[in-house]
Amino acid sequence: MLHNYVMIGRYYPITSRIHNMNPLSKILCTIIFVVLLFLSNDLFFTGLITLFVILIVLMTKVPLKIYWQALKSLKILIFFIIIINLIFNVEYQTIIILVMRLILIVLYTSVLTLTTPPTEITYGLEKFFTPLRLIGIPVNKMALSLSLAIHFIPTIIDQASKIMKAQTCRGINYTTSKIKDKLIGFKSLLIPMIINSIKKADILAMSMELRLYNITSKRTNFRMNKWGFFDTYMLLVHSTILILLIIREVML
Amino acid sequence: MEIKFENVGYIYNEKTPLAKEVLKDLNIEIKPNQINAIIGKSGSGKTTIIEMINALIIPTTGRIKVDNFLIEPEKRIVNIELLRFQVGLIFEFPEEQFFNSTVEKEISFGLKTFKYKTDEINKRVKNALQMVGLDESYLSRNPHTLSSGEKRKVAITSILVFNPKVIIFDEPTVGLDSNSKNNLIRLIKMLKNKYHKTIVIVSQDVDFLHKLVDYIFVLSDKKIILEGNKYEVFSQVEKLKEHGIGVPKIIEFTHKILVNKGVKMGYRDEIKDLIKDIYRHVT
């Protein structure tokens, strides 16, 4: 029921070259891509980046309708962006670039979440932030919090789905358009969710303590995510496009 | 009230790589005014079946008749609220769905949603409380501060206020002590005998079911592999074990006597009757 509407952490379990990439290289590529996208200020370059994203989307082998689902949720936001920019007399070219940026960011981040299990993303983030340890930032604590939060997303979705079903049996209509009914529905979902989540967090903390979990001790990772040729290749492709764009901007 | 499954199938996450078929060509007819049970291993699709009776999920193939309602794929159910009113569903750990500050608000919540008048709400709340054996002093209490047995009773009351014709229990004994279990058995028997409700229970607690149910459906490999009254079903010890389903301890004991000593004991509901039989046999 609820799973159909939640796109967060929806890993699509198939095999493709993008799926097999190291999560760290995927995160690095995503960051470079975001910088790239915000530096491109003309239609020609945005068009080229669009072709590049389409190529990557096709390489993932994930059905296009899954990407379409993610894009569909943007329609209201895109509508508002267009209307507000038209009100302020912004050029058509700029509006198109703004809308394309939004669409491309959603598509690219969907590539990351659809081809990487949430736990692997956490691993990638932990590796990415490792240098921050040198300046005293508790990366391992942050990684643990993030990892636990991501691990609990399916549990929380299941729980929300269960509570929604139970409240539906008691007459709550979650699809209603009336604001008052929407608020009652929200309350009936939120309060049990908070109470149950706090209880679960408490039990989890106790069970970790019982198993002598120590946050300060040094840990190794059980994953063997190897950096392959394709990771270097993709990172080089992204970096090259970024460098070319910077040179073009400087020369212009 | 007629509940009939005709060639029902259900696939979770249909048309995705995570697709999982849990039910296939299922045909069930729930016996009215009886206590029906659906047993099977975890993940065999028991909860899916009961959620379909209430149209919380819609079958991917086949159809379900619930009184005058027809639940089938891609068809809108007219007056679905009435169906939900007539079929009460009590989920596993129902107390986890409490969100009101008093027992009274919690119980009357559903009726208020259906726009009942205050007098009628008060009358129904008192009747429902009486049915589960709680007195009116509970109405002003915070539901989160009650014992697990009491919480379960309040959760059941919040469904009984609708006066449904069918009451479905999903794993009702989880987290209950033996005293609360016995109270629950008494309550469910009373709902059937005194108020003529049709009861459907999904549970893995075969000892609890053995004391209670009239008719059993055994679910395995996406379909019903065995059905009948409790004597017929639980006497098939080997078949049940083959499908990873436990049998009540009392049946297990008589079966062991038969296998090891070759003595056939009668089918008994209560352990004290079985002990009398054994004593008679020995002397």
Side-chain angles (χ1 to χ4, degrees):
Chain A
M1 189 175 172
L2 194 67
H3 292 83
N4 302 333
Y5 303 105
V6 182
M7 274 297 286
I8 307 162
R10 283 190 84 172
Y11 172 60
Y12 201 86
I14 49 169
T15 313
S16 75
R17 295 197 87 167
I18 306 287
H19 278 77
N20 292 339
M21 278 174 73
N22 189 308
L24 178 61
S25 71
K26 283 192 222 180
I27 289 169
L28 288 171
C29 286
T30 309
I31 292 165
I32 295 172
F33 179 79
V34 173
V35 177
L36 192 71
L37 204 58
F38 281 92
L39 283 179
S40 68
N41 285 323
D42 63 85
L43 272 178
F44 173 71
F45 217 88
T46 311
L48 279 182
I49 294 173
T50 310
L51 285 176
F52 178 62
V53 173
I54 291 171
L55 193 70
I56 291 177
V57 163
L58 292 175
M59 279 170 78
T60 61
K61 293 182 186 168
V62 174
L64 295 178
K65 66 173 182 185
I66 305 275
Y67 289 102
W68 179 240
Q69 268 178 359
L71 290 180
K72 262 201 313 195
S73 56
L74 289 177
K75 59 187 177 194
I76 297 170
L77 193 60
I78 290 174
F79 176 75
F80 275 107
I81 288 175
I82 294 172
I83 295 292
I84 289 169
N85 281 289
L86 284 177
I87 290 169
F88 289 102
N89 270 333
V90 179
E91 278 179 47
Y92 290 126
Q93 190 181 327
T94 317
I95 299 175
I96 294 170
I97 291 172
L98 275 175
V99 171
M100 283 312 292
R101 270 183 192 165
L102 186 68
I103 292 172
L104 291 174
I105 278 193
V106 169
L107 273 181
Y108 203 95
T109 46
S110 297
V111 168
L112 177 71
T113 53
L114 287 167
T115 63
T116 327
T119 46
E120 296 286 300
I121 294 178
T122 322
Y123 164 81
L125 287 172
E126 192 183 344
K127 290 284 165 209
F128 180 73
F129 287 116
T130 305
L132 294 179
R133 275 188 195 158
L134 296 172
I135 53 168
I137 292 174
V139 177
N140 50 351
K141 273 188 192 174
M142 280 160 57
L144 175 72
S145 311
L146 195 66
S147 163
L148 289 176
I150 289 174
H151 270 101
F152 271 87
I153 289 175
T155 316
I156 288 171
I157 292 174
D158 276 345
Q159 202 180 16
S161 175
K162 222 179 216 178
I163 293 171
M164 279 169 84
K165 280 178 183 169
Q167 308 296 26
T168 305
C169 292
R170 292 163 75 188
I172 288 186
N173 183 2
Y174 286 99
T175 54
T176 181
S177 53
K178 289 180 192 167
I179 291 178
K180 191 190 163 196
D181 291 347
K182 265 188 191 296
L183 285 173
I184 293 172
F186 188 61
K187 180 186 160 194
S188 74
L189 178 66
L190 195 67
I191 294 175
M193 285 290 293
I194 292 173
I195 294 170
N196 296 337
S197 299
I198 291 171
K199 274 185 196 165
K200 278 206 168 74
D202 209 26
I203 293 167
L204 180 73
M206 277 194 281
S207 68
M208 284 173 79
E209 212 161 322
L210 282 170
R211 282 177 280 169
L212 307 177
Y213 184 85
N214 183 2
I215 190 78
T216 53
S217 60
K218 201 173 177 183
R219 344 203 124 249
T220 51
N221 209 306
F222 71 91
R223 291 184 193 86
M224 294 288 286
N225 280 314
K226 284 184 183 156
W227 188 279
F229 168 75
F230 195 66
D231 294 299
T232 316
Y233 173 75
M234 285 300 276
L235 208 57
L236 275 174
V237 169
H238 280 74
S239 311
T240 312
I241 299 173
L242 181 66
I243 292 164
L244 284 176
L245 184 65
I246 293 170
I247 292 170
R248 187 169 168 268
E249 288 292 312
V250 171
M251 284 176 79
L252 282 174
Chain B
M1 190 173 182
E2 185 195 18
I3 301 174
K4 202 172 176 184
F5 283 62
E6 292 172 359
N7 303 315
V8 169
Y10 192 77
I11 304 171
Y12 278 102
N13 300 310
E14 202 187 8
K15 294 172 189 164
T16 73
L18 301 170
K20 191 188 172 197
E21 189 178 42
V22 282
L23 300 171
K24 194 180 179 184
D25 293 329
L26 188 83
N27 291 291
I28 297 181
E29 198 173 344
I30 301 287
K31 309 289 168 211
N33 307 112
Q34 284 199 37
I35 302 175
N36 300 265
I38 302 169
I39 59 171
K41 279 198 296 189
S42 319
S44 59
K46 306 184 292 292
T47 305
T48 309
I49 291 179
I50 55 171
E51 285 179 359
M52 280 200 262
I53 299 176
N54 217 324
L56 285 170
I57 53 173
I58 307 295
T60 40
T61 53
R63 62 180 194 171
I64 304 160
K65 277 185 192 170
V66 182
D67 216 7
N68 296 321
F69 297 94
L70 205 57
I71 305 164
E72 51 190 336
E74 288 162 19
K75 284 203 178 156
R76 194 176 150 264
I77 303 159
V78 182
N79 219 348
I80 195 167
E81 290 80 13
L82 188 66
L83 169 70
R84 303 252 160 90
F85 220 89
Q86 291 185 356
V87 181
L89 175 53
I90 298 156
F91 278 91
E92 190 179 356
F93 294 113
E95 57 276 12
E96 285 186 358
Q97 286 115 41
F98 290 164
F99 65 99
N100 286 296
S101 53
T102 64
V103 169
E104 187 178 15
K105 283 182 187 167
E106 196 61 54
I107 297 172
S108 60
F109 170 75
L111 292 173
K112 282 178 187 162
T113 318
F114 284 110
K115 311 264 182 303
Y116 268 70
K117 285 181 182 167
T118 316
D119 293 348
E120 180 65 16
I121 292 175
N122 291 340
K123 201 174 124 190
R124 281 184 177 239
V125 168
K126 279 173 191 168
N127 281 345
L129 265 185
Q130 212 174 14
M131 280 161 92
V132 298
L134 290 177
D135 61 62
E136 287 179 31
S137 67
Y138 280 89
L139 289 175
S140 56
R141 289 178 66 180
N142 184 330
H144 295 284
T145 58
L146 303 175
S147 72
S148 51
E150 288 169 334
K151 278 181 185 170
R152 196 66 53 99
K153 280 185 177 176
V154 171
I156 295 170
T157 315
S158 67
I159 292 295
L160 288 181
V161 279
F162 295 135
N163 196 17
K165 289 180 185 168
V166 180
I167 305 171
I168 306 170
F169 293 86
D170 186 9
E171 300 288 356
T173 55
V174 178
L176 290 187
D177 56 37
S178 65
N179 195 27
S180 302
K181 273 187 199 178
N182 289 333
N183 286 336
L184 190 63
I185 289 171
R186 272 197 291 276
L187 170 65
I188 295 174
K189 278 185 176 170
M190 186 187 69
L191 288 171
K192 177 206 152 190
N193 297 329
K194 194 171 169 188
Y195 299 98
H196 311 293
K197 307 284 183 197
T198 302
I199 310 281
V200 182
I201 305 172
V202 159
S203 179
Q204 304 219 37
D205 188 343
V206 281
D207 289 300
F208 166 77
L209 293 176
H210 175 249
K211 291 177 186 169
L212 187 68
V213 299
D214 302 312
Y215 202 84
I216 300 177
F217 299 93
V218 183
L219 191 63
S220 186
D221 304 325
K222 303 168 195 173
K223 56 183 187 291
I224 297 294
I225 53 152
L226 197 61
E227 70 173 280
N229 66 44
K230 63 177 175 182
Y231 306 107
E232 288 165 353
V233 170
F234 285 136
S235 59
Q236 307 267 339
V237 179
E238 299 300 338
K239 192 170 183 180
L240 289 172
K241 283 189 173 174
E242 199 182 298
H243 287 88
I245 300 159
V247 286
K249 286 186 190 78
I250 193 165
I251 305 283
E252 178 113 46
F253 183 68
T254 49
H255 183 70
K256 272 188 179 162
I257 293 176
L258 179 68
V259 172
N260 297 334
K261 302 286 176 192
V263 179
K264 192 174 182 184
M265 309 297 296
Y267 191 102
R268 295 292 182 190
D269 281 346
E270 297 289 334
I271 191 79
K272 60 183 179 198
D273 297 326
L274 185 65
I275 291 168
K276 276 181 197 166
D277 282 354
I278 295 167
Y279 184 74
R280 254 184 248 124
H281 199 82
V282 172
T283 54

